mmCIF file of all heavy atoms in Angstrom:
data_model
loop_
_atom_site.group_PDB
_atom_site.id
_atom_site.type_symbol
_atom_site.label_atom_id
_atom_site.label_comp_id
_atom_site.label_asym_id
_atom_site.label_seq_id
_atom_site.Cartn_x
_atom_site.Cartn_y
_atom_site.Cartn_z
ATOM 1 N N ALA A 108 146.444 -15.531 37.231
ATOM 2 C CA ALA A 108 146.769 -14.202 36.954
ATOM 3 C C ALA A 108 148.309 -14.008 36.904
ATOM 4 O O ALA A 108 148.745 -13.307 36.049
ATOM 5 C CB ALA A 108 146.230 -13.207 38.019
ATOM 6 N N ALA A 109 148.939 -14.576 37.775
ATOM 7 C CA ALA A 109 150.510 -14.510 37.785
ATOM 8 C C ALA A 109 151.042 -15.110 36.617
ATOM 9 O O ALA A 109 152.213 -14.626 36.154
ATOM 10 C CB ALA A 109 151.024 -15.224 38.993
ATOM 11 N N THR A 110 150.454 -16.042 35.995
ATOM 12 C CA THR A 110 150.959 -16.557 34.755
ATOM 13 C C THR A 110 150.436 -16.121 33.436
ATOM 14 O O THR A 110 150.726 -16.602 32.318
ATOM 15 C CB THR A 110 150.771 -18.107 34.835
ATOM 16 O OG1 THR A 110 149.430 -18.413 34.990
ATOM 17 C CG2 THR A 110 151.728 -18.723 35.866
ATOM 18 N N THR A 111 149.527 -15.079 33.550
ATOM 19 C CA THR A 111 148.848 -14.490 32.367
ATOM 20 C C THR A 111 148.942 -13.068 32.385
ATOM 21 O O THR A 111 149.744 -12.472 31.667
ATOM 22 C CB THR A 111 147.357 -14.949 32.315
ATOM 23 O OG1 THR A 111 147.303 -16.405 32.418
ATOM 24 C CG2 THR A 111 146.741 -14.464 31.029
ATOM 25 N N ALA A 112 148.243 -12.482 33.300
ATOM 26 C CA ALA A 112 148.211 -10.890 33.250
ATOM 27 C C ALA A 112 147.631 -10.544 34.759
ATOM 28 O O ALA A 112 146.536 -11.015 35.100
ATOM 29 C CB ALA A 112 147.236 -10.297 32.125
ATOM 30 N N TRP A 113 148.320 -9.545 35.268
ATOM 31 C CA TRP A 113 147.965 -9.274 36.680
ATOM 32 C C TRP A 113 146.647 -8.427 36.709
ATOM 33 O O TRP A 113 146.014 -8.382 37.769
ATOM 34 C CB TRP A 113 149.034 -8.428 37.400
ATOM 35 C CG TRP A 113 150.130 -9.324 37.841
ATOM 36 C CD1 TRP A 113 151.373 -9.490 37.384
ATOM 37 C CD2 TRP A 113 149.988 -10.147 39.050
ATOM 38 N NE1 TRP A 113 152.062 -10.378 38.078
ATOM 39 C CE2 TRP A 113 151.214 -10.854 39.179
ATOM 40 C CE3 TRP A 113 149.005 -10.306 39.892
ATOM 41 C CZ2 TRP A 113 151.441 -11.718 40.226
ATOM 42 C CZ3 TRP A 113 149.326 -11.333 41.035
ATOM 43 C CH2 TRP A 113 150.504 -11.923 41.059
ATOM 44 N N TRP A 114 146.094 -7.869 35.789
ATOM 45 C CA TRP A 114 144.911 -7.160 35.730
ATOM 46 C C TRP A 114 143.681 -8.170 36.025
ATOM 47 O O TRP A 114 142.624 -7.787 36.424
ATOM 48 C CB TRP A 114 144.617 -6.324 34.539
ATOM 49 C CG TRP A 114 144.544 -7.115 33.185
ATOM 50 C CD1 TRP A 114 145.559 -7.249 32.303
ATOM 51 C CD2 TRP A 114 143.389 -7.876 32.586
ATOM 52 N NE1 TRP A 114 145.155 -8.072 31.190
ATOM 53 C CE2 TRP A 114 143.833 -8.361 31.391
ATOM 54 C CE3 TRP A 114 142.133 -8.031 33.013
ATOM 55 C CZ2 TRP A 114 143.039 -9.185 30.642
ATOM 56 C CZ3 TRP A 114 141.281 -8.906 32.170
ATOM 57 C CH2 TRP A 114 141.710 -9.399 30.970
ATOM 58 N N LEU A 115 144.047 -9.516 35.801
ATOM 59 C CA LEU A 115 143.025 -10.429 36.062
ATOM 60 C C LEU A 115 142.628 -10.489 37.580
ATOM 61 O O LEU A 115 141.625 -11.012 37.912
ATOM 62 C CB LEU A 115 143.489 -11.880 35.569
ATOM 63 C CG LEU A 115 143.489 -12.009 34.046
ATOM 64 C CD1 LEU A 115 144.151 -13.322 33.629
ATOM 65 C CD2 LEU A 115 142.108 -11.935 33.435
ATOM 66 N N VAL A 116 143.481 -10.019 38.334
ATOM 67 C CA VAL A 116 143.269 -9.970 39.933
ATOM 68 C C VAL A 116 142.090 -9.117 40.152
ATOM 69 O O VAL A 116 141.304 -9.477 40.888
ATOM 70 C CB VAL A 116 144.484 -9.443 40.535
ATOM 71 C CG1 VAL A 116 144.138 -9.187 42.059
ATOM 72 C CG2 VAL A 116 145.650 -10.334 40.548
ATOM 73 N N LEU A 117 141.905 -7.958 39.492
ATOM 74 C CA LEU A 117 140.856 -7.053 39.654
ATOM 75 C C LEU A 117 139.526 -7.820 39.069
ATOM 76 O O LEU A 117 138.495 -7.618 39.789
ATOM 77 C CB LEU A 117 141.042 -5.841 38.757
ATOM 78 C CG LEU A 117 142.199 -4.968 39.077
ATOM 79 C CD1 LEU A 117 142.358 -3.810 38.243
ATOM 80 C CD2 LEU A 117 142.126 -4.487 40.597
ATOM 81 N N LEU A 118 139.686 -8.506 38.009
ATOM 82 C CA LEU A 118 138.419 -9.284 37.545
ATOM 83 C C LEU A 118 138.143 -10.253 38.655
ATOM 84 O O LEU A 118 136.828 -10.530 38.836
ATOM 85 C CB LEU A 118 138.775 -9.943 36.262
ATOM 86 C CG LEU A 118 137.579 -10.567 35.501
ATOM 87 C CD1 LEU A 118 136.534 -9.555 35.042
ATOM 88 C CD2 LEU A 118 138.083 -11.261 34.215
ATOM 89 N N GLY A 119 139.021 -10.976 39.087
ATOM 90 C CA GLY A 119 138.818 -11.968 40.257
ATOM 91 C C GLY A 119 138.166 -11.473 41.499
ATOM 92 O O GLY A 119 137.270 -11.908 41.985
ATOM 93 N N ALA A 120 138.603 -10.189 41.857
ATOM 94 C CA ALA A 120 137.935 -9.500 42.986
ATOM 95 C C ALA A 120 136.518 -9.214 42.629
ATOM 96 O O ALA A 120 135.663 -9.216 43.567
ATOM 97 C CB ALA A 120 138.810 -8.169 43.282
ATOM 98 N N LEU A 121 136.239 -8.754 41.382
ATOM 99 C CA LEU A 121 134.885 -8.441 41.043
ATOM 100 C C LEU A 121 133.928 -9.678 41.232
ATOM 101 O O LEU A 121 132.840 -9.652 41.754
ATOM 102 C CB LEU A 121 134.798 -8.010 39.667
ATOM 103 C CG LEU A 121 133.460 -7.705 39.120
ATOM 104 C CD1 LEU A 121 132.716 -6.632 39.830
ATOM 105 C CD2 LEU A 121 133.511 -7.231 37.512
ATOM 106 N N CYS A 122 134.482 -10.893 40.709
ATOM 107 C CA CYS A 122 133.838 -12.173 40.801
ATOM 108 C C CYS A 122 133.560 -12.578 42.313
ATOM 109 O O CYS A 122 132.446 -12.976 42.693
ATOM 110 C CB CYS A 122 134.541 -13.263 40.144
ATOM 111 S SG CYS A 122 134.683 -13.182 38.341
ATOM 112 N N LEU A 123 134.561 -12.345 43.152
ATOM 113 C CA LEU A 123 134.274 -12.690 44.620
ATOM 114 C C LEU A 123 133.312 -11.750 45.191
ATOM 115 O O LEU A 123 132.355 -12.202 46.020
ATOM 116 C CB LEU A 123 135.711 -12.579 45.345
ATOM 117 C CG LEU A 123 136.648 -13.544 45.078
ATOM 118 C CD1 LEU A 123 138.092 -13.143 45.762
ATOM 119 C CD2 LEU A 123 136.313 -14.967 45.457
ATOM 120 N N ALA A 124 133.388 -10.513 44.867
ATOM 121 C CA ALA A 124 132.375 -9.539 45.350
ATOM 122 C C ALA A 124 130.913 -9.900 44.830
ATOM 123 O O ALA A 124 129.850 -9.963 45.653
ATOM 124 C CB ALA A 124 132.567 -8.132 44.879
ATOM 125 N N GLY A 125 130.760 -10.354 43.549
ATOM 126 C CA GLY A 125 129.611 -10.842 43.021
ATOM 127 C C GLY A 125 129.053 -11.966 43.678
ATOM 128 O O GLY A 125 127.741 -12.133 43.931
ATOM 129 N N ALA A 126 129.890 -12.929 44.081
ATOM 130 C CA ALA A 126 129.546 -14.155 44.723
ATOM 131 C C ALA A 126 128.952 -13.793 46.130
ATOM 132 O O ALA A 126 127.926 -14.356 46.469
ATOM 133 C CB ALA A 126 130.698 -15.097 44.877
ATOM 134 N N TRP A 127 129.669 -13.030 46.823
ATOM 135 C CA TRP A 127 129.079 -12.730 48.243
ATOM 136 C C TRP A 127 127.956 -11.917 48.375
ATOM 137 O O TRP A 127 126.977 -12.158 49.058
ATOM 138 C CB TRP A 127 130.247 -12.082 49.074
ATOM 139 C CG TRP A 127 129.896 -12.011 50.466
ATOM 140 C CD1 TRP A 127 129.377 -10.913 51.191
ATOM 141 C CD2 TRP A 127 129.857 -13.062 51.489
ATOM 142 N NE1 TRP A 127 129.132 -11.176 52.476
ATOM 143 C CE2 TRP A 127 129.363 -12.508 52.699
ATOM 144 C CE3 TRP A 127 130.253 -14.329 51.418
ATOM 145 C CZ2 TRP A 127 129.353 -13.252 53.895
ATOM 146 C CZ3 TRP A 127 130.187 -15.184 52.536
ATOM 147 C CH2 TRP A 127 129.674 -14.586 53.770
ATOM 148 N N PHE A 128 127.887 -10.845 47.542
ATOM 149 C CA PHE A 128 126.846 -9.879 47.643
ATOM 150 C C PHE A 128 125.499 -10.299 46.838
ATOM 151 O O PHE A 128 124.560 -9.497 46.719
ATOM 152 C CB PHE A 128 127.254 -8.541 47.266
ATOM 153 C CG PHE A 128 128.237 -7.934 48.208
ATOM 154 C CD1 PHE A 128 129.609 -7.773 47.898
ATOM 155 C CD2 PHE A 128 127.811 -7.551 49.542
ATOM 156 C CE1 PHE A 128 130.505 -7.308 48.838
ATOM 157 C CE2 PHE A 128 128.643 -7.055 50.380
ATOM 158 C CZ PHE A 128 129.976 -6.914 50.036
ATOM 159 N N TYR A 129 125.590 -11.476 46.150
ATOM 160 C CA TYR A 129 124.367 -11.996 45.621
ATOM 161 C C TYR A 129 123.186 -11.970 46.565
ATOM 162 O O TYR A 129 122.009 -11.459 46.337
ATOM 163 C CB TYR A 129 124.562 -13.356 44.942
ATOM 164 C CG TYR A 129 123.420 -14.056 44.527
ATOM 165 C CD1 TYR A 129 122.494 -13.364 43.436
ATOM 166 C CD2 TYR A 129 123.037 -15.355 44.820
ATOM 167 C CE1 TYR A 129 121.460 -14.096 43.033
ATOM 168 C CE2 TYR A 129 121.852 -16.014 44.447
ATOM 169 C CZ TYR A 129 121.130 -15.365 43.443
ATOM 170 O OH TYR A 129 120.005 -15.983 42.993
ATOM 171 N N THR A 130 123.430 -12.586 47.724
ATOM 172 C CA THR A 130 122.439 -12.587 48.772
ATOM 173 C C THR A 130 122.967 -12.036 50.165
ATOM 174 O O THR A 130 122.292 -11.969 51.088
ATOM 175 C CB THR A 130 121.895 -13.998 49.057
ATOM 176 O OG1 THR A 130 122.979 -14.888 49.405
ATOM 177 C CG2 THR A 130 121.027 -14.499 47.992
ATOM 178 N N GLY A 131 124.266 -11.648 50.168
ATOM 179 C CA GLY A 131 124.854 -11.177 51.308
ATOM 180 C C GLY A 131 124.828 -9.561 51.399
ATOM 181 O O GLY A 131 124.608 -8.896 50.441
ATOM 182 N N GLY A 132 125.276 -9.077 52.519
ATOM 183 C CA GLY A 132 125.235 -7.620 52.694
ATOM 184 C C GLY A 132 123.891 -7.051 53.049
ATOM 185 O O GLY A 132 122.891 -7.701 53.113
ATOM 186 N N SER A 133 123.892 -5.668 53.205
ATOM 187 C CA SER A 133 122.593 -5.075 53.555
ATOM 188 C C SER A 133 121.634 -4.884 52.417
ATOM 189 O O SER A 133 120.325 -4.843 52.565
ATOM 190 C CB SER A 133 122.802 -3.741 54.187
ATOM 191 O OG SER A 133 123.498 -2.875 53.262
ATOM 192 N N LYS A 134 122.084 -4.926 51.193
ATOM 193 C CA LYS A 134 121.245 -4.695 50.056
ATOM 194 C C LYS A 134 121.703 -5.802 48.902
ATOM 195 O O LYS A 134 122.358 -5.336 47.912
ATOM 196 C CB LYS A 134 121.386 -3.303 49.508
ATOM 197 C CG LYS A 134 120.634 -2.301 50.311
ATOM 198 C CD LYS A 134 120.742 -0.828 49.817
ATOM 199 C CE LYS A 134 120.045 0.174 50.758
ATOM 200 N NZ LYS A 134 119.997 1.485 50.076
ATOM 201 N N PRO A 135 121.502 -7.019 49.143
ATOM 202 C CA PRO A 135 121.755 -8.014 48.176
ATOM 203 C C PRO A 135 121.133 -7.796 46.799
ATOM 204 O O PRO A 135 119.920 -7.623 46.737
ATOM 205 C CB PRO A 135 121.416 -9.490 48.809
ATOM 206 C CG PRO A 135 120.384 -8.958 49.781
ATOM 207 C CD PRO A 135 120.723 -7.686 50.157
ATOM 208 N N TYR A 136 121.828 -7.963 45.726
ATOM 209 C CA TYR A 136 121.266 -7.558 44.368
ATOM 210 C C TYR A 136 120.426 -8.893 43.929
ATOM 211 O O TYR A 136 119.572 -8.660 43.175
ATOM 212 C CB TYR A 136 122.348 -7.453 43.374
ATOM 213 C CG TYR A 136 123.331 -8.409 43.076
ATOM 214 C CD1 TYR A 136 123.172 -9.487 42.199
ATOM 215 C CD2 TYR A 136 124.654 -8.519 43.633
ATOM 216 C CE1 TYR A 136 124.034 -10.492 41.879
ATOM 217 C CE2 TYR A 136 125.501 -9.531 43.324
ATOM 218 C CZ TYR A 136 125.208 -10.462 42.515
ATOM 219 O OH TYR A 136 126.108 -11.465 42.216
ATOM 220 N N GLY A 137 120.695 -10.008 44.606
ATOM 221 C CA GLY A 137 119.808 -11.150 44.148
ATOM 222 C C GLY A 137 118.342 -10.994 44.701
ATOM 223 O O GLY A 137 117.500 -11.643 44.231
ATOM 224 N N TYR A 138 118.205 -10.012 45.713
ATOM 225 C CA TYR A 138 116.860 -9.718 46.230
ATOM 226 C C TYR A 138 116.212 -8.614 45.517
ATOM 227 O O TYR A 138 115.046 -8.112 45.876
ATOM 228 C CB TYR A 138 116.938 -9.387 47.670
ATOM 229 C CG TYR A 138 117.107 -10.490 48.670
ATOM 230 C CD1 TYR A 138 117.946 -11.534 48.456
ATOM 231 C CD2 TYR A 138 116.171 -10.534 49.807
ATOM 232 C CE1 TYR A 138 118.048 -12.650 49.282
ATOM 233 C CE2 TYR A 138 116.319 -11.589 50.637
ATOM 234 C CZ TYR A 138 117.305 -12.638 50.415
ATOM 235 O OH TYR A 138 117.314 -13.663 51.315
ATOM 236 N N SER A 139 116.785 -8.050 44.425
ATOM 237 C CA SER A 139 116.350 -6.940 43.685
ATOM 238 C C SER A 139 116.046 -7.266 42.216
ATOM 239 O O SER A 139 115.966 -6.417 41.321
ATOM 240 C CB SER A 139 117.199 -5.767 43.774
ATOM 241 O OG SER A 139 117.404 -5.453 45.169
ATOM 242 N N GLY A 140 116.163 -8.557 41.842
ATOM 243 C CA GLY A 140 115.888 -8.947 40.467
ATOM 244 C C GLY A 140 117.044 -9.055 39.482
ATOM 245 O O GLY A 140 116.856 -9.304 38.353
ATOM 246 N N PHE A 141 118.300 -9.005 40.065
ATOM 247 C CA PHE A 141 119.508 -9.042 39.196
ATOM 248 C C PHE A 141 120.218 -10.264 39.120
ATOM 249 O O PHE A 141 121.302 -10.365 38.554
ATOM 250 C CB PHE A 141 120.453 -7.810 39.595
ATOM 251 C CG PHE A 141 119.828 -6.375 39.483
ATOM 252 C CD1 PHE A 141 119.514 -5.724 40.558
ATOM 253 C CD2 PHE A 141 119.655 -5.817 38.159
ATOM 254 C CE1 PHE A 141 118.932 -4.407 40.438
ATOM 255 C CE2 PHE A 141 119.156 -4.576 38.074
ATOM 256 C CZ PHE A 141 118.755 -3.936 39.214
ATOM 257 N N GLY A 142 119.637 -11.271 39.720
ATOM 258 C CA GLY A 142 120.361 -12.555 39.910
ATOM 259 C C GLY A 142 120.716 -13.189 38.500
ATOM 260 O O GLY A 142 121.825 -13.577 38.192
ATOM 261 N N GLU A 143 119.632 -13.224 37.641
ATOM 262 C CA GLU A 143 119.935 -13.771 36.282
ATOM 263 C C GLU A 143 120.921 -13.089 35.457
ATOM 264 O O GLU A 143 121.738 -13.596 34.700
ATOM 265 C CB GLU A 143 118.549 -13.815 35.530
ATOM 266 C CG GLU A 143 117.561 -14.934 36.047
ATOM 267 C CD GLU A 143 116.793 -14.549 37.309
ATOM 268 O OE1 GLU A 143 117.048 -13.366 37.833
ATOM 269 O OE2 GLU A 143 116.020 -15.335 37.732
ATOM 270 N N ILE A 144 120.899 -11.659 35.631
ATOM 271 C CA ILE A 144 121.859 -10.871 34.861
ATOM 272 C C ILE A 144 123.285 -11.268 35.388
ATOM 273 O O ILE A 144 124.201 -11.382 34.663
ATOM 274 C CB ILE A 144 121.648 -9.377 35.106
ATOM 275 C CG1 ILE A 144 120.231 -9.035 34.375
ATOM 276 C CG2 ILE A 144 122.604 -8.598 34.458
ATOM 277 C CD1 ILE A 144 119.756 -7.595 34.671
ATOM 278 N N ALA A 145 123.464 -11.350 36.685
ATOM 279 C CA ALA A 145 124.761 -11.641 37.308
ATOM 280 C C ALA A 145 125.194 -13.067 36.832
ATOM 281 O O ALA A 145 126.433 -13.179 36.523
ATOM 282 C CB ALA A 145 124.628 -11.611 38.755
ATOM 283 N N VAL A 146 124.342 -13.975 36.820
ATOM 284 C CA VAL A 146 124.696 -15.343 36.426
ATOM 285 C C VAL A 146 125.128 -15.332 34.898
ATOM 286 O O VAL A 146 126.206 -15.878 34.560
ATOM 287 C CB VAL A 146 123.502 -16.341 36.548
ATOM 288 C CG1 VAL A 146 123.734 -17.588 35.721
ATOM 289 C CG2 VAL A 146 123.351 -16.635 37.990
ATOM 290 N N PHE A 147 124.491 -14.569 34.075
ATOM 291 C CA PHE A 147 124.821 -14.423 32.654
ATOM 292 C C PHE A 147 126.144 -13.833 32.490
ATOM 293 O O PHE A 147 126.952 -14.311 31.698
ATOM 294 C CB PHE A 147 123.748 -13.528 31.969
ATOM 295 C CG PHE A 147 124.134 -13.397 30.432
ATOM 296 C CD1 PHE A 147 123.648 -14.296 29.506
ATOM 297 C CD2 PHE A 147 124.734 -12.295 29.923
ATOM 298 C CE1 PHE A 147 123.903 -14.139 28.257
ATOM 299 C CE2 PHE A 147 124.946 -12.145 28.700
ATOM 300 C CZ PHE A 147 124.520 -12.983 27.783
ATOM 301 N N VAL A 148 126.439 -12.773 33.365
ATOM 302 C CA VAL A 148 127.772 -12.088 33.212
ATOM 303 C C VAL A 148 128.852 -13.036 33.811
ATOM 304 O O VAL A 148 129.919 -13.202 33.211
ATOM 305 C CB VAL A 148 127.787 -10.698 34.004
ATOM 306 C CG1 VAL A 148 129.109 -10.148 34.126
ATOM 307 C CG2 VAL A 148 126.770 -9.809 33.276
ATOM 308 N N PHE A 149 128.657 -13.492 35.013
ATOM 309 C CA PHE A 149 129.863 -14.168 35.724
ATOM 310 C C PHE A 149 130.074 -15.562 35.250
ATOM 311 O O PHE A 149 131.155 -15.950 34.972
ATOM 312 C CB PHE A 149 129.492 -14.240 37.218
ATOM 313 C CG PHE A 149 129.744 -12.857 37.926
ATOM 314 C CD1 PHE A 149 128.639 -12.174 38.476
ATOM 315 C CD2 PHE A 149 130.930 -12.319 37.910
ATOM 316 C CE1 PHE A 149 128.719 -10.961 39.100
ATOM 317 C CE2 PHE A 149 131.084 -10.953 38.591
ATOM 318 C CZ PHE A 149 129.943 -10.255 39.043
ATOM 319 N N PHE A 150 128.993 -16.353 35.022
ATOM 320 C CA PHE A 150 129.107 -17.665 34.505
ATOM 321 C C PHE A 150 129.050 -17.868 33.078
ATOM 322 O O PHE A 150 128.963 -19.006 32.504
ATOM 323 C CB PHE A 150 128.154 -18.653 35.400
ATOM 324 C CG PHE A 150 128.690 -18.868 36.654
ATOM 325 C CD1 PHE A 150 128.053 -18.189 37.651
ATOM 326 C CD2 PHE A 150 129.655 -19.760 37.050
ATOM 327 C CE1 PHE A 150 128.438 -18.410 39.056
ATOM 328 C CE2 PHE A 150 129.985 -19.913 38.367
ATOM 329 C CZ PHE A 150 129.337 -19.204 39.428
ATOM 330 N N GLY A 151 128.635 -16.813 32.301
ATOM 331 C CA GLY A 151 128.594 -16.839 31.012
ATOM 332 C C GLY A 151 129.835 -15.970 30.258
ATOM 333 O O GLY A 151 130.807 -16.553 29.935
ATOM 334 N N LEU A 152 129.615 -14.685 30.306
ATOM 335 C CA LEU A 152 130.515 -13.837 29.640
ATOM 336 C C LEU A 152 132.091 -13.960 30.287
ATOM 337 O O LEU A 152 133.037 -14.221 29.580
ATOM 338 C CB LEU A 152 130.171 -12.368 29.740
ATOM 339 C CG LEU A 152 128.859 -12.077 28.907
ATOM 340 C CD1 LEU A 152 128.487 -10.590 29.033
ATOM 341 C CD2 LEU A 152 128.937 -12.548 27.493
ATOM 342 N N ILE A 153 132.124 -13.685 31.518
ATOM 343 C CA ILE A 153 133.402 -13.625 32.298
ATOM 344 C C ILE A 153 134.024 -15.034 32.291
ATOM 345 O O ILE A 153 135.267 -15.285 31.929
ATOM 346 C CB ILE A 153 133.321 -13.065 33.719
ATOM 347 C CG1 ILE A 153 132.935 -11.590 33.579
ATOM 348 C CG2 ILE A 153 134.619 -13.339 34.465
ATOM 349 C CD1 ILE A 153 132.771 -10.945 34.959
ATOM 350 N N ALA A 154 133.329 -16.007 32.611
ATOM 351 C CA ALA A 154 133.898 -17.380 32.664
ATOM 352 C C ALA A 154 134.405 -17.922 31.487
ATOM 353 O O ALA A 154 135.533 -18.449 31.279
ATOM 354 C CB ALA A 154 132.794 -18.356 33.331
ATOM 355 N N VAL A 155 133.501 -17.840 30.389
ATOM 356 C CA VAL A 155 133.957 -18.473 29.058
ATOM 357 C C VAL A 155 135.101 -17.592 28.483
ATOM 358 O O VAL A 155 136.179 -18.093 28.146
ATOM 359 C CB VAL A 155 132.778 -18.463 28.082
ATOM 360 C CG1 VAL A 155 133.184 -18.931 26.631
ATOM 361 C CG2 VAL A 155 131.644 -19.373 28.625
ATOM 362 N N LEU A 156 134.863 -16.240 28.385
ATOM 363 C CA LEU A 156 135.910 -15.315 27.747
ATOM 364 C C LEU A 156 137.282 -15.264 28.626
ATOM 365 O O LEU A 156 138.287 -15.268 28.112
ATOM 366 C CB LEU A 156 135.412 -13.969 27.591
ATOM 367 C CG LEU A 156 134.285 -13.843 26.483
ATOM 368 C CD1 LEU A 156 133.631 -12.509 26.448
ATOM 369 C CD2 LEU A 156 134.720 -14.306 25.235
ATOM 370 N N GLY A 157 137.122 -15.464 30.018
ATOM 371 C CA GLY A 157 138.225 -15.482 30.868
ATOM 372 C C GLY A 157 139.038 -16.802 30.667
ATOM 373 O O GLY A 157 140.280 -16.823 30.561
ATOM 374 N N THR A 158 138.189 -17.796 30.456
ATOM 375 C CA THR A 158 139.050 -19.183 30.113
ATOM 376 C C THR A 158 139.599 -19.194 28.770
ATOM 377 O O THR A 158 140.858 -19.651 28.683
ATOM 378 C CB THR A 158 137.925 -20.352 30.200
ATOM 379 O OG1 THR A 158 137.312 -20.445 31.557
ATOM 380 C CG2 THR A 158 138.584 -21.609 29.919
ATOM 381 N N GLN A 159 139.009 -18.626 27.762
ATOM 382 C CA GLN A 159 139.710 -18.400 26.536
ATOM 383 C C GLN A 159 140.949 -17.572 26.623
ATOM 384 O O GLN A 159 141.905 -17.893 26.097
ATOM 385 C CB GLN A 159 138.615 -17.881 25.505
ATOM 386 C CG GLN A 159 139.322 -17.803 24.119
ATOM 387 C CD GLN A 159 138.364 -17.233 23.064
ATOM 388 O OE1 GLN A 159 137.475 -16.399 23.390
ATOM 389 N NE2 GLN A 159 138.474 -17.513 21.756
ATOM 390 N N TYR A 160 140.758 -16.438 27.294
ATOM 391 C CA TYR A 160 141.936 -15.425 27.334
ATOM 392 C C TYR A 160 143.128 -16.108 28.035
ATOM 393 O O TYR A 160 144.202 -15.877 27.574
ATOM 394 C CB TYR A 160 141.510 -14.089 28.018
ATOM 395 C CG TYR A 160 142.553 -13.126 28.080
ATOM 396 C CD1 TYR A 160 142.753 -12.419 26.947
ATOM 397 C CD2 TYR A 160 143.419 -13.032 29.145
ATOM 398 C CE1 TYR A 160 143.778 -11.385 26.910
ATOM 399 C CE2 TYR A 160 144.391 -12.104 29.041
ATOM 400 C CZ TYR A 160 144.652 -11.336 28.065
ATOM 401 O OH TYR A 160 145.628 -10.448 28.096
ATOM 402 N N VAL A 161 142.928 -16.710 29.244
ATOM 403 C CA VAL A 161 144.150 -17.223 29.963
ATOM 404 C C VAL A 161 144.826 -18.205 29.160
ATOM 405 O O VAL A 161 146.037 -18.412 29.441
ATOM 406 C CB VAL A 161 143.760 -17.691 31.392
ATOM 407 C CG1 VAL A 161 143.140 -16.595 32.203
ATOM 408 C CG2 VAL A 161 142.742 -18.940 31.294
#
Side-chain angles (χ1 to χ4, degrees):
T110 54
T111 308
W113 277 107
W114 60 263
L115 290 172
V116 174
L117 298 177
L118 189 62
L121 176 64
C122 292
L123 289 173
W127 186 261
F128 291 108
Y129 172 55
T130 55
S133 59
K134 293 184 178 180
Y136 64 85
Y138 279 50
S139 301
F141 296 107
E143 284 80 0
I144 295 173
V146 166
F147 182 85
V148 171
F149 289 116
F150 287 100
L152 299 181
I153 291 178
V155 174
L156 293 175
T158 299
Q159 183 184 26
Y160 182 82
V161 297

